[in-house]
Amino acid sequence: VFVTGATGFVGSAVVQELLRAGHQVLGLARSDAAAQALTDVGAGVHRGSIEDPESLTSGAEQADGVIHMAFIHDFSRFEENCEKDRLAIGVLGAALKGTNKPLIVTSGTATARVNTGRLVTENDLADPHGQNFRVASDLAVAKLAEQGVRVSLVRLPPSVHGEGDHGFVPLIIAMAREKGESAYPGDGENCWPAVHRFDAARVFVLALEKGAQNAIYHASAEEGVPFREIATMIGKHLNLPVVSKNAQEAAAHFGWFTHFASLNNPTSSQITRDVLGWKPEQQDLLTDIDTAGYFK
């Protein structure tokens, strides 16, 4: 299995799960440190990056299947990086076209309809008119499926948590420390779905092994955690006041992150559980924030 993003927070867990399930793994590495990390766990190394089409093509051609997890997490260039992801998906799909080899692509639950309060399911397609530029990944997958590529999509929630998390929750903690208060927008009832990275890894492996063509899976263990409860847990640990912010105040507190802090994205994974036999086993988000070293 060729894995892009193989040394990332979630990707490294996917590599471990693949190896544990008896697969051989070829991981994409763009640095010596990444190559060493792959070697240390018993995976093969393929040098390159998602911005190097030739490395993607040659990696995919060597494998019996591909899991694409790499993404450039620079939110100051989010739209640009979403476009790079779309192009990378197209390159991988072209390499696998006509082979019936599976391609599993990563996206987010927020690419579907959000901020409506309605539970998003795997049957909800990406909203091409939404504000999330990563919808380009979903649309690229749909295009490959139309071309006969055996491609499926795994959507991750806003919080993929666990020890070593360097995603959204640590950002919120850092903002609270800087501002001297733990904030939430409005009444704080907007919900984030969440999953532990080891549970998410299992979805990718099951999708690879059991997935049908043009399927959508949701790796969300919790349908939605109110943002106010996340802020309250952070305030408890930092001994800071927990405060509500109106729209103008939230923009001042969260800055570029306001869109994500205000996200209301309750998400079901029932179809994924039924089809793949997936059952989350790790602790939930609030327990993880409470116990997994987020405040070291």
Side-chain angles (χ1 to χ4, degrees):
V1 183
F2 178 48
V3 182
T4 73
T7 58
F9 179 61
V10 184
S12 59
V14 170
V15 168
Q16 293 175 40
E17 188 67 30
L18 285 166
L19 293 170
R20 189 162 36 243
H23 299 281
Q24 292 179 314
V25 176
L26 183 66
L28 184 68
R30 59 192 174 106
S31 69
D32 291 341
Q36 188 61 55
L38 289 166
T39 300
D40 288 346
V41 298
V45 176
H46 184 71
R47 297 303 292 256
S49 78
I50 61 169
E51 297 177 271
D52 177 3
E54 290 185 6
S55 69
L56 295 179
T57 298
S58 60
E61 288 176 345
Q62 294 179 58
D64 298 311
V66 177
I67 297 179
H68 173 53
M69 306 202 65
F71 188 81
I72 302 172
H73 291 281
D74 177 358
F75 287 96
S76 67
R77 299 180 175 182
F78 188 51
E79 185 176 5
E80 177 184 332
N81 292 331
C82 290
E83 175 62 13
K84 289 179 179 179
D85 188 53
R86 184 189 69 80
L87 294 173
I89 293 167
V91 170
L92 292 168
L96 298 179
K97 187 176 180 180
T99 68
N100 201 38
K101 295 177 180 178
L103 169 61
I104 311 299
V105 173
T106 310
S107 182
T109 58
T111 59
R113 190 176 301 163
V114 297
N115 298 330
T116 65
R118 186 176 67 79
L119 196 65
V120 177
T121 77
E122 294 89 337
N123 290 327
D124 287 303
L125 301 180
D127 180 4
H129 305 295
Q131 297 181 352
N132 190 334
F133 294 115
R134 197 157 185 184
V135 71
S137 303
D138 292 48
L139 298 178
V141 166
K143 183 177 180 180
L144 290 179
E146 291 175 358
Q147 297 171 1
V149 178
R150 187 181 168 195
V151 61
S152 294
L153 192 69
V154 174
R155 290 173 175 161
L156 293 173
S159 178
V160 182
H161 54 90
E163 187 174 0
D165 183 1
H166 49 267
F168 284 172
V169 170
L171 275 173
I172 302 168
I173 292 171
M175 289 176 188
R177 281 195 170 111
E178 178 188 352
K179 303 286 186 177
E181 57 187 7
S182 183
Y184 58 87
D187 61 9
E189 286 298 312
N190 59 300
C191 288
W192 278 14
V195 67
H196 193 282
R197 72 183 187 115
F198 291 147
D199 284 327
R202 188 68 183 141
V203 174
F204 282 94
V205 176
L206 288 170
L208 179 84
E209 295 174 340
K210 300 182 179 182
Q213 183 171 335
N214 198 24
I216 296 175
Y217 303 108
H218 284 174
S220 51
E222 296 178 85
E223 289 186 350
V225 181
F227 194 89
R228 185 185 67 253
E229 295 184 16
I230 298 172
T232 299
M233 181 64 72
I234 292 171
K236 182 187 88 168
H237 275 271
L238 297 180
N239 195 27
L240 292 174
V242 180
V243 297
S244 168
K245 299 287 187 182
N246 63 31
Q248 184 175 1
E249 294 167 338
H253 181 94
F254 292 109
W256 65 269
F257 191 72
T258 304
H259 167 75
F260 298 100
S262 304
L263 189 68
N264 190 28
N265 184 216
T267 301
S268 171
S269 60
Q270 192 59 56
I271 294 174
T272 299
R273 297 174 194 234
D274 291 344
V275 172
L276 297 182
W278 177 60
K279 183 178 180 181
E281 299 175 349
Q282 304 295 324
Q283 59 190 13
D284 61 42
L285 173 61
L286 293 177
T287 302
D288 225 15
I289 296 174
D290 198 24
T291 63
Y294 276 86
F295 301 92
K296 290 181 180 177

